[in-house]
C-alpha cells in the first residue's frame, strides 16, 4: 500500500478552492487514482456551518464570511493561528468502522497535545477535544470549567474521509464570539498559547506527524502544495 502523502500548504488557503481541491482528491483516492493524503493549512478568518448548524448560533452574521459545508457538526471558526488538518483517508485501510475511525482521530489529537504536556479529553455529550481549566471560576453547580482546544468534523464519500480537524495554536480567540462554537454554550475555547505554551505551528506539525505514524500508517512528506 502506498504511504499517506503529507502536505504543508503555506499562507492562508482560500476556503472554497481548498475544499474543492480536497473533494477532488478524495474522489481520486476512492477511484484508486491517488494515494491517501493529509493537508496541513490555515484559512483566513471565516465561519463554517455543518449539516446540523442552527441559525440562532450565528451571533454575528456580518463579521466574517460564512460557508455552508457538507461535514457533520454545527458552526465552527477557522482562521490564522489555527492548524486545520484535512484528512483524506480510506476506511478500508483504517479499520472499516466509522465510529472507531473517528475515535482514532480524537486519539491522534489527544496524543499530539500530550507531547506538549496538555491533557486533552473527549466528552460523551460534546464533540471535539477539551481541556480542564481549574484556574478559572467553576460553572454554575460547581463543575470545573472546560475549554475546547480542537474541533473534529468529517464527511465520508465512497468510504474516503475528508474535512477533518482544527487545533488551536494561537488564533484570535475573540473571533469565536460571533458563533456558538459547535452549538455548545457555557464552555469556552482555548489554544496552546492561551494555556501558556509557546508552541509554534511547525512544533505542532512535527508532533502531528509523529503521532500519526504511531497510530495510523507511514507517511510521505511533500513540499507545499501549489496555490489553489
Amino acid at each position: 500500500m502506498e504511504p499517506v502523502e503529507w502536505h504543508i500548504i503555506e499562507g492562508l488557503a482560500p476556503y472554497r478552492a481548498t475544499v474543492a481541491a480536497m473533494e477532488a482528491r478524495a474522489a481520486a483516492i476512492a477511484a484508486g487514482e491517488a494515494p491517501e493524503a493529509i493537508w496541513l493549512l490555515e484559512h483566513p478568518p471565516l465561519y463554517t456551518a455543518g449539516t446540523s448548524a442552527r441559525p440562532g448560533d450565528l451571533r454575528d452574521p456580518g463579521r466574517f464570511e460564512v460557508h455552508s459545508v457538507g461535514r457533520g457538526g454545527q458552526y465552527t471558526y477557522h482562521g490564522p493561528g489555527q492548524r486545520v488538518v484535512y484528512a483524506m483517508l480510506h476506511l478500508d485501510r483504517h479499520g472499516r468502522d466509522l465510529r472507531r475511525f473517528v475515535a482514532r482521530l480524537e486519539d491522534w489529537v489527544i496524543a499530539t497535545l500530550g507531547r506538549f504536556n496538555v491533557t486533552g479529553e473527549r466528552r460523551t455529550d460534546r464533540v471535539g477535544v477539551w481541556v480542564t481549566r481549574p484556574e478559572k471560576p467553576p460553572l454554575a453547580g460547581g463543575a470545573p470549567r472546560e475549554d475546547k482546544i480542537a474541533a473534529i468534523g468529517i464527511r465520508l464519500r465512497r468510504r474516503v474521509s475528508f474535512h477533518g480537524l482544527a487545533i488551536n495554536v494561537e488564533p484570535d480567540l475573540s473571533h469565536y464570539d460571533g458563533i456558538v462554537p459547535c452549538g455548545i454554550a457555557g464552555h469556552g475555547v482555548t489554544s496552546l498559547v492561551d494555556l501558556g505554551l509557546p508552541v509554534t505551528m511547525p512544533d505542532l506539525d512535527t508532533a502531528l506527524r509523529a503521532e500519526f505514524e504511531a497510530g495510523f500508517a507511514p507517511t510521505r512528506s511533500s513540499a507545499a502544495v501549489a496555490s489553489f
Side-chain angles (χ1 to χ4, degrees), residues 19-149:
V19 169
M22 173 179 58
E23 291 185 348
R25 179 58 179 263
I29 293 167
E33 298 169 353
E36 296 173 298
I38 291 174
W39 294 353
L40 305 179
L41 55 99
E42 296 171 81
H43 285 303
L46 57 91
Y47 298 131
T48 65
T51 55
S52 302
R54 297 185 293 260
D57 286 347
L58 182 60
R59 291 170 166 166
D60 190 354
R63 189 168 190 174
F64 300 123
E65 288 186 352
V66 180
H67 298 270
S68 295
V69 295
R71 59 152 178 83
Q74 302 186 41
Y75 281 104
T76 193
Y77 166 77
H78 292 315
Q82 180 193 75
R83 180 51 95 202
V84 175
V85 183
Y86 287 142
M88 290 150 277
L89 303 172
H90 204 301
L91 257 66
D92 289 350
R93 293 185 62 181
H94 302 285
R96 296 178 180 267
D97 179 81
L98 179 57
R99 286 178 180 267
R100 178 57 188 151
F101 176 73
V102 173
R104 291 180 74 186
L105 293 177
E106 292 173 335
D107 289 342
W108 179 22
V109 175
I110 290 168
T112 298
L113 295 174
R115 287 180 170 253
F116 305 105
N117 296 315
V118 174
T119 302
E121 299 176 299
R122 53 168 73 87
R123 292 289 180 262
T124 56
D125 59 337
R126 287 179 258 132
V127 297
V129 176
W130 299 79
V131 293
T132 303
R133 305 297 302 272
E135 74 280 12
K136 291 188 174 184
L139 299 173
R145 169 76 174 270
E146 295 180 339
D147 287 349
K148 190 173 188 175
I149 195 169

